[in-house]
Each structure stands twice: as C-alpha cells, then as structure tokens.
Amino acid sequence: MLSLHLPPAFSVLLACSEVPAAGSSSIMSVLAEKAIVKKEELWDVVGTDKWLINNGLDQKYRPRPAHVIVREACNMVGQELPYCIFRGNCEHFVNELRYGKAESRQVQKAGEAAVVAGAAAFVGLGVFALASALFGGSKKEKKNTQ
C-alpha cells in the first residue's frame, strides 16, 4: 500500500470502496471501480508492519513543493475517485500528488514481466513444435513401414 505521509503522524491514502474488505493492500482491490481518499493516523494504517518513506521517483521527477502537496492531499480527503489497478491505483494517486505525474512502477514492472513471460512461452512453444516436427515424424514413419 502506498500513502502520502503528512507530518507529524498522518497518512492520506486511496482506499477501495466497492468491494467489502478490499483495502488498498487487498487482492480484492482489483475488483473495485471506485476508491475513497482517506486521512488516517499513520499507526492505524501501518499497524505493526514495517514501513518506510519511499520517494523513489525523486531521481526522475522534481517533487512539487510540500505545502502544495499537503494542501491538495487534504482537499481531496473524502472524495470518491475512479479506481483501476492499471491506470489509477494508490501508487498513481501518490505520485500524482508528489510529482504531478500519475505513474506506477508496479504496473510498469508487471507489464515488463508479462512481456518476458509471453516471450518465454512463445519460445517454449516454438521449441516444442520444432521437437515435435523433428522427432514426431519418425513415429509415423515407423507405423508406415510396419
């Protein structure tokens, strides 16, 4: 789950609203079409889980001024937004606030992994077809000669 940390101990996050028990970190969140922007105590969000501040796109984009990020985040609390795991998830939400760019490295990495898996499947199928052509024909020939 990604959320925007607001000092001293608050978090603004995008929480799925349509599927019961589909929190932003739930696998059920893929079924949700809407999400609600919430402001919660940081410890209520993370519980006893380990957490860290991840400004991983700071090398790629310049962060917007903190007062602008906080103002926009607080103004969005309570709003219902469209949710899509591929085009509008919690990472898109947080990065839009911080950098002005709705980007998700999780989605990009998943897309890259899908391309690699597809290519591997294609190559595997080709090897199987080639092996069948090379070694499968000998069985037919044996049947025809008997």
Side-chain angles (χ1 to χ4, degrees):
M1 169 194 341
L2 293 172
S3 65
L4 181 69
H5 174 68
L6 301 178
F10 285 96
S11 182
V12 174
L13 62 133
L14 193 60
C16 298
S17 62
E18 289 189 336
V19 180
S24 55
S25 62
S26 166
I27 191 70
M28 294 298 288
S29 66
V30 291
L31 302 175
E33 292 181 5
K34 295 180 184 176
I36 302 222
V37 179
K38 294 183 176 184
K39 180 180 177 183
E40 297 181 355
E41 292 277 344
L42 179 63
W43 302 115
D44 290 341
V45 175
V46 298
T48 58
D49 293 339
K50 194 174 183 179
W51 62 279
L52 62 97
I53 295 174
N54 178 4
N55 298 327
L57 292 176
D58 282 4
Q59 273 44 7
K60 186 174 180 180
Y61 303 118
R62 178 182 215 134
R64 298 165 65 210
H67 71 278
V68 172
I69 298 169
V70 171
R71 182 184 66 232
E72 286 187 17
C74 290
N75 285 340
M76 294 179 79
V77 171
Q79 288 184 27
E80 187 174 78
L81 302 175
Y83 183 87
C84 173
I85 194 80
F86 302 109
R87 293 182 315 270
N89 65 34
C90 59
E91 188 177 12
H92 290 102
F93 171 74
V94 169
N95 287 333
E96 176 73 30
L97 285 168
R98 182 163 178 80
Y99 306 106
K101 309 276 185 194
E103 183 174 311
S104 173
R105 290 182 297 171
Q106 295 169 352
V107 171
Q108 289 171 349
K109 286 179 183 177
E112 291 167 4
V115 167
V116 169
F122 184 74
V123 169
L125 187 59
V127 169
F128 178 74
L130 180 61
S132 294
L134 291 176
F135 302 114
S138 63
K139 290 180 185 177
K140 276 187 180 179
E141 290 172 10
K142 284 181 184 176
K143 283 184 181 179
N144 290 339
T145 57
Q146 289 177 353

